[in-house]
């Protein structure tokens, strides 16, 4: 096919996706907006309007009672439950549990009665002027509507909610109710509830043990601990009632039960007046406080919040988000949907991980749902670290690498369970504490490429930050464990006279238990060579660290010679006829029917087809070979990339959230800007437009970092070459201009690209910065800009 044929195919593919998506989110540069109430959209919107602050998060559930379909979800960072794995058979090495991201006790609840009627949007006679807005610029969520209850009373409601970045144990709600047609008696009942469950429980197990329910005036506390893992938590609240802006001094009636506590306020409200409840709540946990001091810690958090008051704390929230946006914002002129999408992705990434706590990581659903379980996948190293390195202090990225070092012993234990020895390390596909907890055998045992992502992240961190200290202090031990694994995992094939790696699953999970996945084999070879290179470097430059590490690992020259042998003789499947590396042995044995011949009614195939049919098909969930070409771009020519891109992309269904961003970056490199733009929209609006028909389960947080990469590395062409930033800027024809900032080695460079050219501005500092633009050296002086 010609290049025009491939572009036409990409357009067709995109139109298929567009025909399958939802389209109710209103275009806006800074907000996610839903207008009009639709019961069918409630669960999807609960995901899309989720909020978080790095320490906790919650879906956008209604505060008042809702009897319709809903997915209740509040989550605390690092708190999990080891749900027993549910399988029909058992194999040696199989994880004993699947770590659940726990639905935590609910603190946002506020029951409302209007003249005795329960306010329930599922049963109201009429709902009008319904609107939700996620204000990404300021970090708050608002909802408003007018409702007619079953008995005909009419009210207007406006709610504002946020999770504080300044006091990350605190969330705040302002709930306002106004009678529209007559005076009303309003009962407002803020509550806490620990009688909650997970939607994804394997055995309907009880996850929480409630130990104490306490009420003191307008404060309440529920102490509960997780079963098995024994995390101790205290969920708390404090409420204040206002009428027409004036504090109502009213001692609430207490409604206390075994698993819940409510405070009941009753107030007569005149037509047109506004009753307003300010509710502060949140969680304190024993990983940050002593167990016996949890209620005391909760009271201290509440005092901080109430001393500010709702409005002042909201102003602090706006200031905190303003600081975040100063560095991480990407502006796009001329394309509102593209602008909205990138800010939504950046917003959710910052809500999920702040970098303050090296014990935490970036779960694939963040704080927006329970699917997948675990807090850490290979997504962090392969996709997320570049975003956090470039938009925050480098210590944030270093904390993510430190997280893996702290789990090295568990990675060695994981490998031992599968029969490996001598300190070989297999990092988990899914984990909370370093122990593998994924419950699908074809991934648990076979998707071993995740080991390579850890090693690549170490290389990538040093390449970008110039901070080599991590490698002698921590990273070299990780690299040794990984190299040992690859050497033991490879098998020498006499017929091929090469080392092969058998029985694996690559990033493309639509191919299970195959031999010689090209991406996996290439990573194995690279990891071994990189580990050897760093051994020499640490020996020469950091002899004390080298001697310590050799003493701990008992590494010998004989062992490293075995590593070298495996790396030097690694086998890579290749087709002479097609002149491309093959995704794995036997790929050409498949019936090679391209995606353009798939009916729209059959998409997504992972929801329409049996796995038997998927595994026999040529369809690719996400790039394997192209993922390798992305990571090791400098190992291959542009001509080789083009040939492989044109061969594999027509078979790719992009049903992994991690797929379109890589294709967007590579299409941009190849100068195919319409195709790159199409893939950008696919990755950036994956959740907003619900391409995969699963957004109600939660957002795709980790792939959102790939969206950032699509612009910065794809359109901006940013690379680190010979220790300097390099750019090859391009711009989609749909955009007038775009801009982003990069924090490179503690210097902030702003890049602006338009159809007329590119501008580079160095913010602050005293030293000039040398960069490359389209291969030419350019010097940028502090606090000045240069146009290219």
């Amino acid at each position: 096919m010609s290049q025009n044929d491939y572009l036409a195919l990409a357009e067709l593919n995109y139109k298929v996706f567009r025909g399958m998506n939802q389209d109710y989110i209103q275009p806006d540069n800074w907000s996610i907006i839903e207008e009009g109430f639709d019961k069918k959209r409630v669960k999807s919107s609960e995901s899309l309007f989720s909020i978080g602050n790095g320490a906790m998060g919650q879906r956008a559930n209604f505060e008042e009672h809702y009897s319709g379909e809903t997915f209740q979800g509040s989550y605390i960072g690092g708190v999990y439950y080891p749900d027993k794995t549910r399988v029909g058979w058992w194999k040696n090495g199989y994880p004993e549990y699947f770590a659940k991201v726990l639905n935590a006790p609910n603190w946002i609840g506020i029951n409302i009665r209007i003249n005795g009627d329960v306010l329930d949007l599922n049963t109201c006679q009429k709902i009008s002027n319904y609107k939700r807005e996620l204000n990404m610029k300021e970090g708050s969520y608002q909802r408003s509507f007018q409702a007619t209850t079953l008995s005909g009373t009419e009210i207007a409601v406006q709610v504002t909610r946020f999770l504080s970045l300044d006091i990350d144990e605190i969330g705040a709600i302002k709930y306002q109710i106004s009678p529209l047609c007559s005076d009303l008696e309003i009962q407002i009942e803020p509550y806490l509830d620990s009688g909650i469950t997970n939607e994804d429980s394997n055995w309907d197990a009880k996850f929480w043990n409630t130990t104490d329910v306490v009420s003191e005036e307008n404060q309440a506390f529920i102490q509960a601990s997780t079963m098995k893992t024994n995390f101790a938590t205290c969920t708390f609240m404090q409420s204040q009632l206002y009428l027409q802006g004036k504090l109502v001094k009213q001692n609430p009636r207490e409604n206390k039960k075994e698993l819940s506590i409510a405070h009941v306020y009753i107030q007569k409200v005149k037509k047109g007046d506004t009753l307003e409840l300010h509710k502060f709540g949140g969680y304190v946990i024993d990983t940050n406080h002593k167990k016996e001091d949890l209620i005391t810690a909760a009271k201290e958090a509440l005092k901080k919040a109430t001393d500010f008051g709702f409005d002042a704390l909201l102003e602090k929230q706006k200031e905190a988000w303003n600081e975040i946006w100063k560095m991480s914002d990407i502006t796009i002129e001329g394309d509102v949907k593209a602008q909205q999408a990138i800010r939504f992705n950046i917003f959710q990434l910052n809500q999920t991980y702040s970098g303050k706590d090296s014990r935490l990581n970036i779960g694939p659903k963040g704080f927006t749902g329970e699917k997948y379980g675990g807090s850490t996948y290979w997504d962090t190293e392969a996709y997320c670290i570049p975003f956090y390195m470039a938009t925050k202090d480098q210590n944030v990225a270093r904390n993510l690498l430190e997280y893996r070092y702290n789990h090295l012993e568990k990675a060695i234990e994981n490998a031992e369970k599968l029969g490996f020895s001598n300190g070989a390390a297999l990092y988990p596909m899914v984990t909370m504490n370093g122990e593998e907890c994924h419950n699908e055998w074809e991934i648990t045992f076979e998707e071993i490429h995740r080991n390579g992502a850890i090693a690549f992240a170490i290389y990538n961190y040093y390449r970008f930050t110039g901070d080599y200290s991590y490698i002698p202090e921590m990273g070299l031990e990780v690299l040794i464990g990984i190299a040992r694994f690859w050497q033991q995992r490879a098998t020498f094939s006499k017929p091929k006279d090469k080392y092969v790696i058998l029985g694996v699953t690559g990033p493309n999970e639509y191919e299970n238990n195959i031999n010689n996945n090209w991406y996996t084999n290439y990573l194995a070879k690279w990891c071994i060579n990189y580990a050897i290179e760093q051994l020499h470097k640490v020996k020469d430059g950091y002899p004390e660290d080298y001697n310590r590490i050799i003493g701990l690992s008992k590494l010998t020259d004989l062992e490293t010679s075995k590593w070298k042998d495996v790396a030097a003789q690694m086998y890579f499947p290749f087709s002479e006829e097609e002149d491309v590396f093959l995704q794995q042995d036997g790929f050409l044995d498949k019936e090679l029917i391209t995606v353009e011949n798939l009916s729209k009614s059959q998409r997504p195939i992972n929801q329409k087809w049996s796995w038997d049919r998927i595994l026999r098909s040529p369809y690719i969930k996400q790039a394997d070979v192209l993922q390798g070409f992305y990571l090791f771009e400098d190992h291959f020519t542009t001509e080789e990339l083009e040939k492989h891109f044109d061969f594999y992309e027509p078979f790719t269904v992009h049903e992994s959230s991690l797929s379109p961003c890589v294709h967007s970056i590579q299409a941009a490199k190849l100068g195919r800007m319409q195709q790159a733009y199409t893939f950008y929209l696919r990755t950036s609006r994956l959740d907003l437009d619900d391409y995969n028909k699963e957004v109600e389960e939660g957002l795709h947080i980790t792939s959102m970092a790939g969206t950032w990469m699509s612009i910065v590395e794809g359109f901006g062409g940013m690379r680190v070459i010979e220790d300097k930033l390099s750019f090859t800027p391009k711009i989609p024809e749909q955009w007038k201009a775009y801009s982003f900032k990069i924090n490179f080695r503690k210097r902030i460079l702003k890049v602006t690209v338009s159809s007329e050219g590119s501008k580079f501005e160095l913010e602050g500092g005293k030293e000039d910065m040398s960069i490359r633009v389209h291969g030419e050296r350019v010097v940028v002086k502090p606090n000045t800009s240069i146009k290219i």
Side-chain angles (χ1 to χ4, degrees), residues 16-18 20-22 44 365 371-372 510 603-608 621-622 653-660 682-683 685-700 703:
V16 170
F17 285 128
R18 291 292 294 176
M20 296 163 58
N21 72 337
Q22 68 184 12
S44 294
K365 292 295 181 187
K371 189 178 179 182
Y372 299 129
Y510 289 176
R603 306 286 295 277
I605 63 172
N606 63 10
Q607 297 176 22
K608 301 296 180 69
K621 183 180 181 185
Q622 73 177 84
V653 289
H654 301 291
E655 289 174 11
S656 165
S657 63
L658 302 174
S659 183
R682 173 83 172 100
T683 184
R685 297 194 67 88
L686 174 69
D687 291 318
L688 290 174
D689 295 342
D690 196 13
Y691 287 117
N692 288 349
K693 299 298 179 185
E694 58 184 12
V695 74
E696 66 180 38
E697 299 172 344
L699 305 178
H700 295 84
S703 73

Coordinates of all heavy atoms in Angstrom, one line a residue, residues 16-18 20-22 44 365 371-372 510 603-608 621-622 653-660 682-683 685-700 703:
V16 N -14.5 4.8 12.7 CA -15.1 3.7 13.3 C -15.1 3.9 14.8 O -16.2 3.8 15.5 CB -14.4 2.3 13.1 CG1 -14.9 1.2 14.0 CG2 -14.6 1.9 11.6
F17 N -14.0 4.4 15.4 CA -13.9 4.7 16.8 C -14.9 5.8 17.1 O -15.7 5.8 18.1 CB -12.5 5.2 17.2 CG -11.5 4.0 17.3 CD1 -10.3 4.1 16.6 CD2 -11.8 2.9 18.1 CE1 -9.4 3.1 16.7 CE2 -10.9 1.9 18.2 CZ -9.7 2.0 17.5
R18 N -14.9 6.9 16.3 CA -15.8 8.0 16.6 C -17.3 7.6 16.6 O -18.1 8.1 17.3 CB -15.6 9.1 15.5 CG -14.3 9.8 15.6 CD -14.1 10.6 16.9 NE -15.1 11.8 16.9 CZ -15.2 12.6 17.9 NH1 -14.5 12.4 19.0 NH2 -16.0 13.6 17.9
M20 N -18.4 4.9 17.6 CA -18.7 4.1 18.8 C -18.8 4.9 20.1 O -19.1 4.3 21.1 CB -17.7 3.0 18.9 CG -17.6 2.0 17.7 SD -16.1 1.1 17.7 CE -16.1 0.3 19.3
N21 N -18.4 6.1 20.0 CA -18.1 6.8 21.3 C -19.3 7.6 21.8 O -20.3 7.7 21.1 CB -16.9 7.8 21.1 CG -17.3 9.0 20.3 OD1 -18.3 9.0 19.5 ND2 -16.6 10.1 20.5
Q22 N -19.2 8.0 23.1 CA -20.2 8.8 23.7 C -19.9 10.3 23.3 O -18.7 10.6 23.0 CB -20.2 8.6 25.2 CG -19.0 9.1 25.9 CD -19.0 8.8 27.4 OE1 -19.8 8.0 27.9 NE2 -18.1 9.4 28.1
S44 N -20.9 6.6 34.3 CA -19.8 7.1 33.5 C -19.4 8.5 34.0 O -18.2 8.8 34.2 CB -20.3 7.3 32.0 OG -20.5 6.0 31.4
K365 N -6.1 2.9 37.5 CA -7.4 3.6 37.6 C -7.3 4.8 38.6 O -8.2 5.5 38.9 CB -8.5 2.6 38.1 CG -8.9 1.6 37.0 CD -9.5 2.2 35.8 CE -9.9 1.2 34.8 NZ -10.3 1.9 33.5
K371 N -11.1 -1.5 39.1 CA -10.7 -2.4 38.2 C -9.1 -2.5 38.1 O -8.4 -1.5 38.3 CB -11.2 -2.1 36.8 CG -10.9 -3.1 35.7 CD -11.5 -2.7 34.4 CE -11.2 -3.8 33.3 NZ -11.8 -3.5 32.0
Y372 N -8.7 -3.7 37.9 CA -7.2 -4.1 37.8 C -6.6 -4.3 39.2 O -5.7 -5.1 39.3 CB -6.4 -3.0 37.0 CG -6.8 -2.8 35.6 CD1 -7.1 -1.6 35.1 CD2 -7.0 -3.9 34.7 CE1 -7.5 -1.4 33.8 CE2 -7.4 -3.7 33.4 CZ -7.7 -2.5 33.0 OH -8.1 -2.3 31.7
Y510 N -3.2 -9.8 23.2 CA -4.0 -10.6 22.3 C -3.2 -11.8 21.7 O -3.6 -12.4 20.8 CB -4.7 -9.8 21.2 CG -5.8 -8.9 21.7 CD1 -6.4 -8.0 20.8 CD2 -6.2 -8.9 23.0 CE1 -7.4 -7.1 21.2 CE2 -7.2 -8.0 23.4 CZ -7.8 -7.2 22.5 OH -8.8 -6.3 23.0
R603 N -16.7 -4.5 17.2 CA -15.7 -3.7 18.0 C -16.3 -3.3 19.3 O -17.5 -3.0 19.3 CB -15.2 -2.5 17.2 CG -14.7 -2.8 15.8 CD -13.3 -3.4 15.8 NE -12.3 -2.5 16.4 CZ -11.7 -1.6 15.7 NH1 -12.0 -1.4 14.4 NH2 -10.8 -0.8 16.3
P604 N -15.6 -3.2 20.4 CA -14.2 -3.8 20.5 C -14.2 -5.3 20.6 O -15.1 -5.9 21.2 CB -13.7 -3.2 21.8 CG -15.0 -2.9 22.6 CD -16.0 -2.6 21.6
I605 N -13.2 -5.9 20.0 CA -13.3 -7.4 19.9 C -13.1 -8.0 21.2 O -13.6 -9.2 21.4 CB -12.2 -7.9 18.9 CG1 -10.8 -7.6 19.4 CG2 -12.4 -7.4 17.5 CD1 -9.7 -8.3 18.5
N606 N -12.5 -7.4 22.2 CA -12.4 -8.0 23.5 C -13.7 -8.1 24.3 O -13.8 -8.8 25.3 CB -11.3 -7.3 24.4 CG -11.7 -5.8 24.7 OD1 -12.8 -5.4 24.5 ND2 -10.7 -5.1 25.2
Q607 N -14.7 -7.4 23.7 CA -16.1 -7.5 24.3 C -17.0 -8.3 23.4 O -18.1 -8.7 23.9 CB -16.6 -6.1 24.6 CG -15.8 -5.3 25.6 CD -16.4 -3.9 25.8 OE1 -17.5 -3.6 25.5 NE2 -15.5 -3.0 26.3
K608 N -16.6 -8.6 22.2 CA -17.5 -9.2 21.2 C -17.1 -10.6 20.9 O -17.9 -11.5 20.5 CB -17.6 -8.4 20.0 CG -18.2 -7.0 20.2 CD -19.6 -7.0 20.7 CE -20.1 -5.6 21.0 NZ -20.4 -4.8 19.7
K621 N -3.6 -5.7 20.2 CA -4.2 -4.9 21.2 C -3.4 -3.6 21.3 O -3.9 -2.5 21.4 CB -4.3 -5.6 22.5 CG -4.9 -4.8 23.6 CD -5.0 -5.6 24.9 CE -5.7 -4.9 26.0 NZ -5.6 -5.6 27.3
Q622 N -2.1 -3.7 21.4 CA -1.2 -2.5 21.4 C 0.1 -3.0 20.8 O 0.4 -4.1 20.6 CB -1.0 -2.0 22.8 CG -0.1 -2.9 23.7 CD 0.1 -2.2 25.1 OE1 -0.7 -2.4 25.9 NE2 1.2 -1.6 25.2
V653 N -5.8 -2.8 16.7 CA -7.1 -2.4 17.1 C -7.1 -1.3 18.2 O -8.1 -0.7 18.5 CB -8.1 -3.5 17.5 CG1 -8.4 -4.4 16.2 CG2 -7.4 -4.4 18.6
H654 N -5.9 -1.1 18.8 CA -5.8 0.0 19.8 C -6.8 -0.2 21.0 O -7.3 0.8 21.5 CB -5.9 1.3 19.2 CG -4.9 1.6 18.1 ND1 -3.6 1.8 18.3 CD2 -5.1 1.7 16.7 CE1 -3.0 2.0 17.2 NE2 -3.9 1.9 16.2
E655 N -7.0 -1.4 21.4 CA -7.9 -1.7 22.5 C -7.2 -1.7 23.8 O -7.8 -2.0 24.8 CB -8.7 -2.9 22.2 CG -9.8 -2.7 21.1 CD -10.5 -4.0 20.7 OE1 -10.4 -5.0 21.4 OE2 -11.2 -3.9 19.7
S656 N -5.9 -1.3 23.8 CA -5.2 -1.0 25.0 C -5.1 0.5 25.1 O -4.9 1.2 24.0 CB -3.8 -1.6 25.0 OG -3.0 -0.9 26.0
S657 N -5.3 1.1 26.2 CA -5.2 2.6 26.4 C -3.8 3.0 26.1 O -3.6 4.2 25.9 CB -5.6 3.0 27.8 OG -4.8 2.4 28.8
L658 N -2.8 2.1 26.2 CA -1.4 2.5 26.0 C -0.9 2.5 24.5 O 0.2 2.8 24.3 CB -0.5 1.5 26.8 CG -0.8 1.5 28.3 CD1 0.0 0.4 29.0 CD2 -0.5 2.8 29.0
S659 N -1.8 2.2 23.6 CA -1.4 2.0 22.2 C -1.4 3.3 21.4 O -0.4 3.6 20.7 CB -2.3 1.0 21.6 OG -2.0 0.7 20.3
P660 N -2.5 4.1 21.4 CA -2.5 5.2 20.4 C -1.4 6.2 20.6 O -1.0 6.8 19.7 CB -3.9 5.8 20.7 CG -4.7 4.7 21.3 CD -3.8 3.9 22.1
R682 N -7.4 10.1 19.8 CA -7.8 8.8 20.3 C -7.3 8.6 21.7 O -8.0 8.1 22.6 CB -7.2 7.7 19.4 CG -7.4 6.3 19.9 CD -8.8 5.7 19.5 NE -8.9 4.3 19.8 CZ -9.4 3.9 20.9 NH1 -10.0 4.7 21.8 NH2 -9.5 2.6 21.1
T683 N -6.1 9.0 22.0 CA -5.5 8.8 23.3 C -6.0 9.8 24.3 O -6.3 9.5 25.5 CB -4.0 8.7 23.3 OG1 -3.5 8.5 24.6 CG2 -3.3 10.0 22.8
R685 N -8.8 11.6 24.3 CA -10.2 11.6 24.6 C -10.8 10.2 24.9 O -12.0 9.9 24.7 CB -11.0 12.3 23.5 CG -10.7 13.8 23.4 CD -11.7 14.6 22.5 NE -13.0 14.7 23.2 CZ -13.4 15.6 24.0 NH1 -12.5 16.6 24.3 NH2 -14.6 15.6 24.5
L686 N -9.8 9.3 25.2 CA -10.2 7.9 25.4 C -11.3 7.8 26.4 O -12.3 7.1 26.2 CB -9.0 7.1 25.9 CG -9.2 5.7 26.3 CD1 -9.6 4.8 25.1 CD2 -8.0 5.1 27.1
D687 N -11.2 8.5 27.5 CA -12.2 8.4 28.6 C -13.4 9.4 28.3 O -14.6 9.1 28.5 CB -11.6 8.6 29.9 CG -10.7 7.5 30.4 OD1 -11.1 6.3 30.1 OD2 -9.6 7.8 30.9
L688 N -13.0 10.6 27.9 CA -14.1 11.6 27.7 C -15.1 11.2 26.7 O -16.3 11.4 26.8 CB -13.5 12.9 27.3 CG -12.6 13.7 28.3 CD1 -12.0 14.9 27.7 CD2 -13.5 14.1 29.5
D689 N -14.6 10.5 25.7 CA -15.5 10.0 24.6 C -15.8 8.5 24.8 O -16.5 7.9 23.9 CB -15.0 10.3 23.2 CG -14.9 11.8 23.0 OD1 -15.6 12.5 23.7 OD2 -14.2 12.2 22.1
D690 N -15.2 7.8 25.8 CA -15.5 6.4 26.1 C -15.3 5.5 24.9 O -16.3 4.7 24.6 CB -16.9 6.3 26.7 CG -17.0 4.9 27.5 OD1 -16.0 4.2 27.7 OD2 -18.1 4.6 27.8
Y691 N -14.2 5.6 24.2 CA -14.0 4.7 23.1 C -14.1 3.2 23.3 O -14.6 2.5 22.5 CB -12.6 5.0 22.5 CG -12.5 6.3 21.8 CD1 -11.6 7.3 22.3 CD2 -13.2 6.6 20.7 CE1 -11.5 8.5 21.6 CE2 -13.1 7.9 20.0 CZ -12.2 8.8 20.5 OH -12.1 10.0 19.9
N692 N -13.6 2.8 24.5 CA -13.6 1.4 24.8 C -14.9 0.9 25.6 O -14.9 -0.2 26.0 CB -12.4 1.0 25.6 CG -11.1 1.0 24.7 OD1 -11.2 1.2 23.5 ND2 -10.0 1.0 25.4
K693 N -15.8 1.8 25.7 CA -17.1 1.4 26.3 C -16.9 0.8 27.7 O -17.5 -0.2 28.1 CB -17.9 0.4 25.5 CG -18.2 0.9 24.1 CD -19.2 2.1 24.2 CE -19.5 2.7 22.8 NZ -20.3 3.9 22.9
E694 N -16.1 1.5 28.5 CA -15.8 1.0 29.9 C -15.5 2.1 30.9 O -15.0 1.8 32.0 CB -14.6 0.0 29.8 CG -13.3 0.6 29.3 CD -12.2 -0.4 29.1 OE1 -12.5 -1.6 29.2 OE2 -11.1 0.0 28.9
V695 N -15.8 3.3 30.5 CA -15.4 4.4 31.4 C -16.1 4.4 32.8 O -15.5 4.9 33.8 CB -15.6 5.8 30.7 CG1 -17.1 6.2 30.7 CG2 -14.8 6.9 31.4
E696 N -17.2 3.8 32.8 CA -17.9 3.7 34.1 C -17.2 2.9 35.1 O -17.4 3.1 36.3 CB -19.3 3.1 33.9 CG -19.4 1.6 33.5 CD -20.8 1.1 33.4 OE1 -21.7 1.8 32.9 OE2 -21.0 0.0 33.8
E697 N -16.2 2.1 34.7 CA -15.4 1.3 35.6 C -14.2 2.2 36.2 O -13.5 1.7 37.1 CB -14.8 0.1 34.9 CG -15.8 -0.9 34.4 CD -15.2 -2.0 33.6 OE1 -14.1 -1.8 33.1 OE2 -15.9 -3.0 33.3
G698 N -14.0 3.3 35.7 CA -12.9 4.2 36.1 C -12.1 4.7 34.9 O -12.2 4.2 33.8
L699 N -11.2 5.7 35.2 CA -10.4 6.3 34.1 C -9.1 5.5 33.9 O -8.7 4.8 34.7 CB -10.1 7.7 34.5 CG -11.3 8.6 34.9 CD1 -10.8 10.0 35.3 CD2 -12.3 8.7 33.7
H700 N -8.5 5.8 32.7 CA -7.2 5.2 32.4 C -6.1 6.1 32.7 O -5.6 6.9 31.9 CB -7.2 4.8 30.9 CG -8.2 3.8 30.5 ND1 -9.5 4.1 30.2 CD2 -8.1 2.4 30.3 CE1 -10.2 3.0 29.9 NE2 -9.3 2.0 29.9
S703 N -2.3 5.8 31.1 CA -2.2 6.1 29.7 C -2.3 7.6 29.5 O -1.9 8.1 28.4 CB -3.2 5.4 28.9 OG -4.5 5.9 29.1

